[in-house]
Amino acid sequence: MGMSSERPEPVRPETERDREPSLPVAAAESASYAPPASFGSQPAPARRSYAEAYESVTFTVVTRAQRELTVTLAAQPVFDLGRSAPVARRIRRTVRHLGGERALLGLGRRTIEPVDLHRIDLMTLREGLGLLRLTPQDSGVLPAYWRTVASSRGRFALLCTELQHARAPGALLVEVLGGIEQAPPEAVADAISHFETAAQGVVLHIAPDAAAAQRLHGVGARCLAIDFAGVEHEHARDWRGAAALIGAARNACGQVLLLNLRPDRGLAAHAAGATHAVFAGMDPVSV
């Protein structure tokens, strides 16, 4: 987990950033997410903005191994399932290697080093705060790798960077992902305790597995996040397993955020115990 003593290469923003104009927020999305009272008695209303990102930004990073990575951040609406209304923004992060998987296979080492993950996290924090554009009443969710959060140097750098943006109002949650399942619960609890303040909190992004949720009971996270892109929940016959997964997560934590949830499962997800969702488009989701 230690950080390299070498001076990291600078992150190079692309010449043209992919910034789309902001969409009208609450009214359009609240109207567009209106899940039917039952599974399919009436045709669903036209839905558009519940799954659309408000805007995005793309930048490149050259790793210590001289690989060029493209990082795209997109601000997504987070819905409160009880109110069927957007209440926060989440930054979705996509990291791609120039040339795709074929290029990665040609390089002996396929993993990204901790020092590069740390730099990606810092750049994500700086760029992501700009995308979130928090007001005092807003909440935002930013991603960070577990290997960054787990290292004392990584935590310190992230906290210092956040403090530089202390003028940004609102609540900021750090969504920790990658490797949490292998970490001892006591290590997770210790690491995330550094982020728990009145204006900060932690969302733990876990595998879609009930046991993975149960082992994190009591670690102190504000929320557990589960990506439903890999969970069968399109048909009613699949819902029993999905509901059991949601129930296990809710038993372990007071709030449960579902990612890539079908909008026509919003009410059922809320009944099963989920509190928030980032909805997927109705087209098939590719992982």
Side-chain angles (χ1 to χ4, degrees), residues 21-59:
S22 179
L23 298 175
V25 184
E29 288 175 346
S30 183
S32 63
Y33 167 47
S38 61
F39 286 48
S41 59
Q42 295 181 353
R47 299 182 176 95
R48 183 177 61 87
S49 57
Y50 63 79
E52 284 189 13
Y54 294 109
E55 55 185 321
S56 63
V57 60
T58 298
F59 56 91

Side-chain angles (χ1 to χ4, degrees), residues 121-159:
D121 279 339
L122 288 180
M123 194 64 182
T124 296
L125 190 68
R126 297 174 188 131
E127 296 289 345
L129 284 173
L131 287 178
L132 290 175
R133 293 200 302 274
L134 299 178
T135 70
Q137 291 75 38
D138 290 336
S139 298
V141 183
L142 282 170
Y145 293 110
W146 165 246
R147 280 190 285 179
T148 297
V149 172
S151 76
S152 58
R153 291 182 64 184
R155 285 199 303 268
F156 181 76
L158 275 175
L159 289 171

Side-chain angles (χ1 to χ4, degrees), residues 58-137:
T58 298
F59 56 91
T60 59
V61 177
V62 178
T63 69
R64 287 205 307 166
Q66 298 302 305
R67 307 179 195 175
E68 188 169 340
L69 305 177
T70 300
V71 182
T72 299
L73 309 178
Q76 302 175 299
V78 178
F79 280 79
D80 182 310
L81 291 177
R83 291 187 283 160
S84 301
V87 293
R89 286 184 171 193
R90 170 185 180 260
I91 298 298
R92 180 190 65 204
R93 179 169 60 189
T94 305
V95 181
R96 295 185 176 90
H97 186 278
L98 187 65
E101 292 298 322
R102 186 182 300 272
L104 281 176
L105 292 174
L107 300 168
R109 303 163 68 188
R110 304 181 188 179
T111 59
I112 304 176
E113 296 182 49
V115 65
D116 297 315
L117 296 178
H118 170 66
R119 291 170 54 219
I120 292 171
D121 279 339
L122 288 180
M123 194 64 182
T124 296
L125 190 68
R126 297 174 188 131
E127 296 289 345
L129 284 173
L131 287 178
L132 290 175
R133 293 200 302 274
L134 299 178
T135 70
Q137 291 75 38

Side-chain angles (χ1 to χ4, degrees), residues 197-222:
T197 68
Q200 291 183 12
V202 171
V203 177
L204 295 179
H205 188 125
I206 64 171
D209 179 76
Q214 292 167 353
R215 67 185 295 272
L216 294 174
H217 178 78
V219 299
R222 297 270 184 100

Side-chain angles (χ1 to χ4, degrees), residues 145-253:
Y145 293 110
W146 165 246
R147 280 190 285 179
T148 297
V149 172
S151 76
S152 58
R153 291 182 64 184
R155 285 199 303 268
F156 181 76
L158 275 175
L159 289 171
C160 287
T161 303
E162 203 283 326
L163 289 175
Q164 294 174 10
H165 296 269
R167 290 174 296 177
L172 183 64
L173 303 176
V174 178
E175 181 181 345
V176 182
L177 63 161
I180 297 174
E181 289 78 16
Q182 288 74 45
E186 56 271 19
V188 176
D190 176 67
I192 68 177
S193 66
H194 296 270
F195 293 87
E196 289 294 339
T197 68
Q200 291 183 12
V202 171
V203 177
L204 295 179
H205 188 125
I206 64 171
D209 179 76
Q214 292 167 353
R215 67 185 295 272
L216 294 174
H217 178 78
V219 299
R222 297 270 184 100
C223 179
L224 296 183
I226 303 174
D227 192 346
F228 258 46
V231 177
E232 294 291 339
H233 67 290
E234 180 176 358
H235 304 292
R237 64 176 179 271
D238 303 320
W239 189 250
R240 179 174 296 181
L245 172 59
I246 295 171
R250 184 62 186 272
N251 287 336
C253 190

